[in-house]
């Protein structure tokens, strides 16, 4: 059976090619979920292909539909809009019937007018909006079911690919309707306690097609629906070739990691606030940029202006790489961005812009966008596996609660990460200092020593291994060695 494009980017892939040709499909959802927008995009796609298209509306006027199209910048030229108002429903008192039941005439007249209009236009694509009006006119489930069957067979005889819209105004779902149509798509929206509402789409059934199940996030913007299909990492297995590891440009840090970060792996930087997780991640980004690679830096907690200013304070000028497109800075508001939209953005940057290094700073901010921790872990598993398959070096930062002493993270991602770096504060000679160590690295060797590191206006310095440490993993490291082995401030002539 041939497929008809849905007209929404990404939806054809979920439907395994699109809607089934010459079949009736049900688009259901509560008012405001986006049914009309999806239906108009379906017809606009047909009109662009030179097909005859018909929109039959019982619930919205032609002016209202044209206003919706105008807000999206659409021209409905080429789409026939039929505002179906039976004579019995008009305000003309001469049309009122008193001898027989008005509902019988209203329903029969509605169906007849629909048939006449379809025969006149002979469309390839039809939208019928909405079945809720037919349900009200039918007054009982048996008559309603018979009329839907009649509509279904009529559209099949006319060789129309039809979408029936239903706003689910009944207190309970009419599952009998699902058995009559070829496919069912449910649109849903819900509001969190804070932030923008979330929209998602689910395919309930699609006969004869291997559709992608589960929930798929989408948003409605100027221009229509932007859909973000659920990511399945297994579909991208073995899509990258092995290359040289990513070096930081700091000899001591690369030695600590066992010669840098391997391609197609994820690295987690854990530590308290202010320990330098973002700066350490930026060091790898700048080293990649110097080798001509492209990078994506996603920040949840800082604005682009603050991030650029902080980088400039360490001698890293981001304006040039950002202007050339080599470095992509994305500032994300967790209250406004859905998890599916973030995944879609990462996929677009990796596949279309060919970025080789991705930084998510930080997961503490991203967690706020997720309704529950277990869903975040599942989504992060798919996302990291996908990025690994694509050969991307992924760096994640995760803030731990507290500055000193025992520390905990709001979510445990250590088992998902291939490499874990632990950052800690320690005190020596009356000064606050920083220590770095590698807890694990799946893909090769690494040092098990602890090194000190410092920040200044020329970047990051990492010192030699320090063996006189106690209590690093407890969160309260104590340095018992010689103070002369620690890093000192750089002089003007010191590299």
């Amino acid at each position: 059976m041939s497929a008809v494009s849905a007209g929404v980017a990404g939806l054809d892939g979920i439907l395994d090619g699109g809607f089934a040709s010459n079949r009736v499909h049900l688009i259901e959802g509560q008012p405001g979920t986006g049914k009309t927008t999806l239906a108009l995009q379906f017809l606009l796609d047909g009109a662009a292909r030179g097909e005859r298209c018909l929109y039959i509306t019982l619930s919205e006027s032609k002016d209202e539909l044209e206003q919706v199209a105008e807000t999206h910048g659409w021209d409905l030229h080429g789409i026939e809009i039929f505002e179906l108002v039976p004579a019995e429903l008009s305000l003309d008192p001469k049309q009122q019937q008193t001898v027989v039941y008005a509902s019988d005439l209203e329903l029969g007249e509605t169906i007849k007018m629909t048939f006449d209009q379809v025969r006149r236009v002979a469309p390839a694509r039809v939208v019928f909006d909405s079945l809720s009006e037919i349900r009200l006119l039918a007054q009982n489930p048996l008559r309603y079911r018979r009329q839907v069957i009649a509509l279904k067979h009529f559209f099949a005889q006319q060789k129309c690919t039809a979408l029936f819209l239903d706003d689910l105004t009944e207190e309970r779902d009419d599952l009998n309707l699902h058995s009559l149509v070829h496919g069912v798509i449910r649109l849903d929206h819900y509001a969190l306690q804070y932030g923008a509402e979330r929209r998602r789409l689910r395919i309930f059934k699609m006969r004869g097609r291997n559709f992608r199940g589960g929930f798929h996030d989408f948003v409605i913007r100027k221009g229509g629906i932007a859909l973000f299909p659920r990511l399945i990492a297994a579909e991208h297995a073995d899509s990258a070739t092995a290359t040289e590891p990513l070096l930081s440009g700091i000899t001591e840090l690369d030695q600590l990691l066992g010669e840098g970060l391997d391609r197609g792996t994820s690295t987690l930087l854990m530590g308290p606030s202010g320990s330098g997780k973002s700066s350490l991640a930026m060091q790898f980004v700048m080293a990649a940029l110097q080798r001509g690679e492209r990078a994506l830096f996603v920040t949840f907690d800082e604005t682009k202006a603050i991030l650029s200013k902080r980088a400039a304070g360490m001698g890293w000028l981001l304006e040039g790489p950002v202007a050339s497109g080599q470095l992509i800075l994305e500032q994300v508001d967790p209250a406004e961005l859905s998890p599916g939209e973030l995944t879609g953005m990462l996929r677009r940057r990796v596949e279309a812009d060919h970025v080789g290094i991705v930084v998510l700073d930080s997961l503490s901010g991203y967690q706020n966008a997720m309704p529950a921790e277990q869903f975040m872990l599942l989504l992060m598993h798919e996302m990291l596996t996908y990025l690994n398959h694509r050969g991307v070096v992924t760096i994640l930062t995760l803030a731990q609660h507290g500055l000193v002493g025992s520390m905990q993270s709001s979510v445990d991602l250590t088992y998902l990460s291939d490499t874990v770096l632990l950052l800690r504060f320690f005190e020596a000679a009356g000064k606050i200092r920083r220590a770095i160590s590698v807890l694990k690295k799946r893909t090769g060797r690494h040092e098990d020593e602890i090194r000190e590191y410092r920040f200044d206006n020329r970047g990051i310095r990492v010192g030699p291994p320090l063996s006189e440490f106690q209590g690093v993993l407890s969160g309260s490291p104590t340095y018992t060695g010689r103070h002369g082995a620690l890093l000192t401030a750089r002089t003007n002539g010191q590299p």
Side-chain angles (χ1 to χ4, degrees), residues 87-103:
E88 292 81 3
L89 296 181
S90 69
L91 299 179
D92 186 354
K94 297 180 180 179
Q95 301 292 341
Q96 299 297 325
Q97 300 291 333
T98 58
V99 179
V100 295
Y101 289 108
S103 60

Side-chain angles (χ1 to χ4, degrees), residues 137-338:
L137 293 175
Q139 294 186 340
N140 68 74
L142 179 59
R143 293 184 64 208
Y144 172 58
R145 182 180 177 88
R146 286 177 175 175
Q147 293 301 326
V148 173
I149 293 176
L151 286 171
K152 171 187 173 182
H153 289 311
F154 174 75
F155 285 128
Q157 292 172 0
Q158 300 298 315
K159 299 189 181 303
C160 299
T161 303
L163 300 185
F164 287 175
L165 308 187
D166 186 14
D167 59 14
L168 297 178
T169 51
E170 289 289 299
E171 294 183 358
R172 59 184 179 85
D173 293 343
D174 189 359
L175 298 180
N176 290 328
L177 191 58
H178 289 196
S179 65
L180 301 180
V181 296
H182 191 83
V184 179
I185 298 179
R186 170 77 61 88
L187 306 183
D188 185 26
H189 65 163
Y190 61 97
L192 303 178
Q193 290 185 349
Y194 181 82
E197 66 177 3
R198 303 292 170 81
R199 300 177 185 272
R200 58 186 184 179
L201 174 151
R202 180 186 173 193
I203 314 297
F204 267 63
K205 63 174 283 190
M206 196 62 60
R207 290 172 180 160
R209 292 192 178 276
N210 186 26
F211 63 88
R212 179 175 298 188
F215 289 106
H216 310 276
D217 290 343
F218 73 94
V219 296
I220 300 179
R221 301 192 181 105
K222 182 178 177 61
I225 291 176
L227 180 66
F228 311 103
R230 183 173 60 87
L231 179 62
I232 301 178
E235 296 177 350
H236 305 271
D238 302 325
S239 58
T241 57
T243 57
E244 293 296 321
L246 174 64
L247 300 178
S248 67
I250 302 175
T251 302
E252 294 81 3
L253 180 57
D254 293 332
Q255 290 174 350
L256 180 67
L257 289 166
E259 300 306 321
L261 302 177
D262 293 320
R263 306 284 176 171
T265 64
S266 58
T267 300
L268 178 63
L269 305 180
M270 298 175 56
S273 176
S275 58
K277 300 180 296 298
S278 302
S279 299
L280 198 60
M282 185 61 75
Q283 174 67 45
F284 283 97
V285 169
M286 298 307 297
L289 296 180
Q290 291 177 1
R291 288 189 291 269
E293 301 183 48
R294 307 191 71 179
L296 169 66
F297 198 107
V298 182
T299 173
F300 293 88
D301 306 322
E302 293 180 299
T303 64
K304 292 181 182 180
I306 293 178
L307 180 62
S308 298
K309 183 177 180 180
R310 186 165 55 81
M314 298 183 66
W316 299 325
L317 301 180
L318 305 183
E319 289 77 8
V322 170
S324 65
Q326 188 183 8
L327 173 61
I328 302 171
L329 295 181
E330 291 283 358
Q331 179 185 338
V332 172
D333 184 353
E336 301 296 325
L337 191 75
S338 68

Side-chain angles (χ1 to χ4, degrees), residues 250 274-276 279-280 283 314 316 423-424 426 428 431-436 451-464 466 483 485-491 494:
I250 302 175
S275 58
S279 299
L280 198 60
Q283 174 67 45
M314 298 183 66
W316 299 325
L423 310 182
R424 283 289 184 263
F426 72 96
K431 293 184 178 181
I432 297 176
R433 298 175 179 268
R434 296 174 175 87
I436 183 173
R451 292 177 180 256
E452 184 192 3
Y453 65 101
R454 291 188 64 152
F455 303 105
D456 57 27
N457 58 2
R458 285 185 283 173
I460 301 175
R461 296 167 58 208
V462 179
L466 299 173
H483 292 165
L486 299 174
L487 293 173
T488 59
R490 273 193 279 215
T491 61
Q494 187 177 359

